[in-house]
Amino acid sequence: MAFEKENMKVEIVSTKFIKPSLPTPNHLQNYKLSFFDQIADEAHLPLVLFYPPTNNINYETHEEQFEQSLSRILTHVYPISGRFIEDDDSISCKDQGVKFVKAKVNNKLNEFLEKAHKDVNLALLCWPQDT
């Protein structure tokens, strides 16, 4: 899948779910939301990480390391990889995972950031269109 705008092409290379490295214990698989969590506004914080290219890096090893680190972190913040259950005002923490999207851009990072600073909508090209 690819998106284009102003001679910039964003290609989604892969999309997958990263799961916690260790299973969530049975007694923690139903995370009940607090009263404040229940009355708070819904908020989704999209996070896009940009990494400048370097000549001395093995990207496959770097990507594997990033995925393994994320998987280990999810073990400690297990509700993040769970799913909201509206009827119960809770999060089902059965290690469903978080979405991990890898993309390539045919532009240099500093050029993109300069353009995105002037046109915030340009940054939306980097956000998966199906979410």
Side-chain angles (χ1 to χ4, degrees), residues 78-104:
Y78 55 92
I80 292 175
S81 63
R83 300 297 180 266
F84 179 65
I85 300 175
E86 192 169 352
D87 296 343
D88 194 27
D89 289 324
S90 66
I91 298 175
S92 172
C93 304
K94 296 185 179 170
D95 307 324
Q96 293 92 331
V98 296
K99 194 171 195 176
F100 181 82
V101 180
K102 179 181 173 185
K104 285 186 179 180

Side-chain angles (χ1 to χ4, degrees), residues 16-41:
K16 59 181 155 183
F17 282 87
I18 305 293
K19 298 182 178 192
S21 60
L22 297 172
T24 302
N26 288 338
H27 69 284
L28 297 175
Q29 289 187 354
N30 186 27
Y31 185 84
K32 188 74 172 162
L33 297 176
S34 72
F35 172 74
F36 294 109
D37 289 331
Q38 292 176 39
I39 64 170
D41 287 336

Side-chain angles (χ1 to χ4, degrees), residues 3 12 24-25 27 32 36 42 48 51 56-57 64 66 72 76 80 84 96 106 124 126:
F3 310 99
I12 303 296
T24 302
H27 69 284
K32 188 74 172 162
F36 294 109
E42 284 186 33
V48 179
Y51 293 97
N56 59 353
I57 191 168
E64 278 180 33
F66 184 79
R72 286 192 303 269
H76 300 285
I80 292 175
F84 179 65
Q96 293 92 331
N106 69 336
L124 294 176
C126 297

